[in-house]
């Protein structure tokens, strides 16, 4: 029977069959994690939910946590949860494996978590800082957009 192989997920798709490998769920991304990583994931999610109103959704290989924009995301991997936190400053600490500039105002910090007990201060403090920063950035963006535009100067009268 004719069909094709998906370029992204390498799954074989029969002709006429619907396929969307980009759509996934939290459960699908976390179902194969070890017990330690499952517990770490649950604690990480509970911590983030306690911060307040936000959107949590799965996107390709990551689980995103956002307000107006993403303030951190988690990539579940075989032996580790890779947590990527967006802060407005560079943090140097043993828990941070890598730091990279994400934009003009955001710096992404990569953290590996292997056990539930690692989801505590200072990591939870950084997550809360990122959550608070996302509110400040969103407010600045909104107020900049709502400012009235300058009026064009009046044309001079000829004499």
């Amino acid at each position: 029977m004719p069909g094709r192989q998906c370029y992204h997920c390498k799954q074989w798709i029969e002709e006429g069959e619907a396929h969307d490998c980009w759509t996934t769920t939290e459960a699908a991304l976390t179902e194969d994690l070890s017990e330690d990583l499952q517990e770490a994931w649950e604690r990480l999610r509970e911590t983030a939910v306690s911060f307040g109103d936000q959107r949590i959704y799965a996107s390709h290989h990551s689980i995103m946590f956002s307000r107006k924009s993403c303030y951190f995301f988690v990539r579940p991997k075989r032996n580790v949860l890779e947590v990527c936190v967006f802060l407005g400053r560079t943090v140097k600490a043993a828990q941070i494996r890598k730091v990279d500039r994400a934009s003009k105002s955001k710096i992404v910090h990569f953290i590996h978590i292997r056990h539930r007990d690692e989801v505590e201060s200072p990591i939870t403090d950084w997550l809360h800082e990122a959550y608070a920063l996302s509110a400040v950035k969103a407010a600045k963006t909104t107020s900049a957009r709502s400012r009235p535009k300058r009026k064009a100067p009046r044309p001079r009268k000829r004499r």
Side-chain angles (χ1 to χ4, degrees):
M1 190 171 222
R4 64 181 177 85
Q5 185 178 23
C6 175
Y7 174 76
H8 297 286
C9 69
K10 308 298 185 218
Q11 180 181 355
W12 185 259
I13 303 145
E14 300 296 334
E15 190 175 328
E17 180 182 348
H19 176 71
D20 183 9
C21 64
W22 291 96
T23 304
T24 189
T25 63
E26 282 182 54
L29 291 173
T30 58
E31 69 186 354
D32 294 332
L33 295 176
S34 67
E35 187 175 335
D36 282 345
L37 289 178
Q38 285 277 359
E39 290 175 1
W41 161 247
E42 289 168 9
R43 186 165 186 178
L44 193 62
R45 192 179 195 292
E46 289 168 6
T47 300
V49 167
S50 73
F51 297 153
D53 190 35
Q54 62 189 296
R55 182 171 171 233
I56 303 171
Y57 60 97
S59 177
H60 203 138
H61 296 292
S62 303
I63 301 167
M64 317 296 278
F65 293 77
S66 69
R67 295 176 89 179
K68 285 279 187 181
S69 65
C70 179
Y71 71 96
F72 92 95
F73 63 91
V74 179
R75 285 188 194 122
K77 298 190 174 191
R78 178 179 289 156
N79 298 318
V80 72
L81 296 176
E82 184 177 53
V83 180
C84 305
V85 184
F86 296 98
L87 297 172
R89 64 187 177 96
T90 301
V91 176
K92 292 186 179 187
Q95 298 91 335
I96 297 175
R97 301 187 47 96
K98 182 180 164 188
V99 177
D100 203 2
R101 182 157 292 283
S103 71
K104 190 174 176 181
S105 62
K106 288 184 184 177
I107 300 166
V108 63
H109 298 73
F110 297 86
I111 303 165
H112 285 184
I113 294 179
R114 291 179 175 79
H115 193 271
R116 175 183 175 89
D117 294 342
E118 294 178 65
V119 184
E120 58 186 25
S121 188
I123 293 173
T124 55
D125 298 336
W126 297 328
L127 294 176
H128 195 267
E129 180 181 338
Y131 179 82
L133 177 69
S134 66
V136 171
K137 295 290 181 194
K140 284 183 180 179
T141 304
T142 303
S143 65
R145 288 182 188 156
S146 63
R147 267 187 269 165
K149 293 182 181 179
R150 286 184 161 179
K151 292 182 181 178
R154 291 184 179 173
R156 292 184 172 176
K157 292 184 181 178
R158 291 190 177 177
R159 293 183 184 201

